[in-house]
mmCIF file of all heavy atoms in Angstrom:
data_model
loop_
_atom_site.group_PDB
_atom_site.id
_atom_site.type_symbol
_atom_site.label_atom_id
_atom_site.label_comp_id
_atom_site.label_asym_id
_atom_site.label_seq_id
_atom_site.Cartn_x
_atom_site.Cartn_y
_atom_site.Cartn_z
ATOM 1 N N PRO A 84 75.573 -31.102 73.149
ATOM 2 C CA PRO A 84 76.681 -31.969 73.606
ATOM 3 C C PRO A 84 77.788 -32.036 72.576
ATOM 4 O O PRO A 84 77.605 -31.929 71.345
ATOM 5 C CB PRO A 84 76.010 -33.344 73.779
ATOM 6 C CG PRO A 84 74.558 -33.028 73.975
ATOM 7 C CD PRO A 84 74.281 -31.804 73.207
ATOM 8 N N MET A 85 79.007 -32.149 73.057
ATOM 9 C CA MET A 85 80.192 -32.098 72.222
ATOM 10 C C MET A 85 80.133 -33.101 71.065
ATOM 11 O O MET A 85 80.597 -32.741 69.972
ATOM 12 C CB MET A 85 81.438 -32.389 73.083
ATOM 13 C CG MET A 85 82.219 -31.220 73.468
ATOM 14 S SD MET A 85 83.647 -31.673 74.487
ATOM 15 C CE MET A 85 84.873 -31.785 73.186
ATOM 16 N N GLN A 86 79.675 -34.288 71.313
ATOM 17 C CA GLN A 86 79.731 -35.283 70.219
ATOM 18 C C GLN A 86 78.845 -34.867 69.045
ATOM 19 O O GLN A 86 79.166 -35.171 67.896
ATOM 20 C CB GLN A 86 79.379 -36.660 70.725
ATOM 21 C CG GLN A 86 78.032 -36.845 71.309
ATOM 22 C CD GLN A 86 78.001 -36.630 72.815
ATOM 23 O OE1 GLN A 86 78.785 -35.971 73.364
ATOM 24 N NE2 GLN A 86 77.057 -37.302 73.483
ATOM 25 N N TYR A 87 77.757 -34.157 69.326
ATOM 26 C CA TYR A 87 76.880 -33.724 68.223
ATOM 27 C C TYR A 87 77.464 -32.505 67.530
ATOM 28 O O TYR A 87 77.235 -32.317 66.283
ATOM 29 C CB TYR A 87 75.472 -33.431 68.737
ATOM 30 C CG TYR A 87 74.853 -34.626 69.408
ATOM 31 C CD1 TYR A 87 74.286 -34.542 70.703
ATOM 32 C CD2 TYR A 87 74.871 -35.861 68.807
ATOM 33 C CE1 TYR A 87 73.745 -35.657 71.325
ATOM 34 C CE2 TYR A 87 74.348 -36.996 69.444
ATOM 35 C CZ TYR A 87 73.774 -36.856 70.663
ATOM 36 O OH TYR A 87 73.235 -37.971 71.309
ATOM 37 N N VAL A 88 78.158 -31.657 68.234
ATOM 38 C CA VAL A 88 78.892 -30.533 67.576
ATOM 39 C C VAL A 88 79.935 -31.097 66.643
ATOM 40 O O VAL A 88 80.137 -30.569 65.502
ATOM 41 C CB VAL A 88 79.533 -29.623 68.652
ATOM 42 C CG1 VAL A 88 80.400 -28.591 68.011
ATOM 43 C CG2 VAL A 88 78.456 -28.961 69.496
ATOM 44 N N GLY A 89 80.608 -32.190 67.024
ATOM 45 C CA GLY A 89 81.560 -32.818 66.144
ATOM 46 C C GLY A 89 80.944 -33.304 64.850
ATOM 47 O O GLY A 89 81.527 -33.197 63.799
ATOM 48 N N VAL A 90 79.745 -33.934 64.957
ATOM 49 C CA VAL A 90 79.043 -34.374 63.769
ATOM 50 C C VAL A 90 78.718 -33.183 62.850
ATOM 51 O O VAL A 90 78.838 -33.334 61.611
ATOM 52 C CB VAL A 90 77.786 -35.173 64.132
ATOM 53 C CG1 VAL A 90 76.918 -35.468 62.945
ATOM 54 C CG2 VAL A 90 78.138 -36.471 64.902
ATOM 55 N N LEU A 91 78.336 -32.053 63.416
ATOM 56 C CA LEU A 91 78.067 -30.861 62.580
ATOM 57 C C LEU A 91 79.338 -30.399 61.876
ATOM 58 O O LEU A 91 79.245 -30.044 60.705
ATOM 59 C CB LEU A 91 77.490 -29.765 63.460
ATOM 60 C CG LEU A 91 76.123 -29.976 64.051
ATOM 61 C CD1 LEU A 91 75.774 -28.840 64.990
ATOM 62 C CD2 LEU A 91 75.085 -30.103 62.968
ATOM 63 N N PHE A 92 80.478 -30.431 62.562
ATOM 64 C CA PHE A 92 81.720 -29.998 61.915
ATOM 65 C C PHE A 92 82.115 -31.001 60.804
ATOM 66 O O PHE A 92 82.608 -30.558 59.757
ATOM 67 C CB PHE A 92 82.843 -29.885 62.926
ATOM 68 C CG PHE A 92 82.791 -28.660 63.765
ATOM 69 C CD1 PHE A 92 83.005 -28.669 65.129
ATOM 70 C CD2 PHE A 92 82.493 -27.397 63.224
ATOM 71 C CE1 PHE A 92 82.934 -27.571 65.926
ATOM 72 C CE2 PHE A 92 82.405 -26.264 63.972
ATOM 73 C CZ PHE A 92 82.662 -26.349 65.307
ATOM 74 N N VAL A 93 81.899 -32.262 61.002
ATOM 75 C CA VAL A 93 82.207 -33.255 59.971
ATOM 76 C C VAL A 93 81.343 -33.015 58.739
ATOM 77 O O VAL A 93 81.809 -33.018 57.599
ATOM 78 C CB VAL A 93 82.022 -34.674 60.532
ATOM 79 C CG1 VAL A 93 82.072 -35.720 59.393
ATOM 80 C CG2 VAL A 93 83.122 -35.018 61.496
ATOM 81 N N GLY A 94 80.064 -32.753 58.974
ATOM 82 C CA GLY A 94 79.146 -32.488 57.872
ATOM 83 C C GLY A 94 79.532 -31.229 57.098
ATOM 84 O O GLY A 94 79.480 -31.177 55.888
ATOM 85 N N LEU A 95 79.970 -30.187 57.816
ATOM 86 C CA LEU A 95 80.444 -28.961 57.200
ATOM 87 C C LEU A 95 81.671 -29.242 56.316
ATOM 88 O O LEU A 95 81.773 -28.712 55.209
ATOM 89 C CB LEU A 95 80.696 -27.875 58.234
ATOM 90 C CG LEU A 95 81.194 -26.524 57.706
ATOM 91 C CD1 LEU A 95 80.090 -25.876 56.874
ATOM 92 C CD2 LEU A 95 81.559 -25.646 58.914
#
Side-chain angles (χ1 to χ4, degrees):
M85 260 181 92
Q86 61 266 28
Y87 303 130
V88 172
V90 171
L91 292 174
F92 284 137
V93 168
L95 181 63

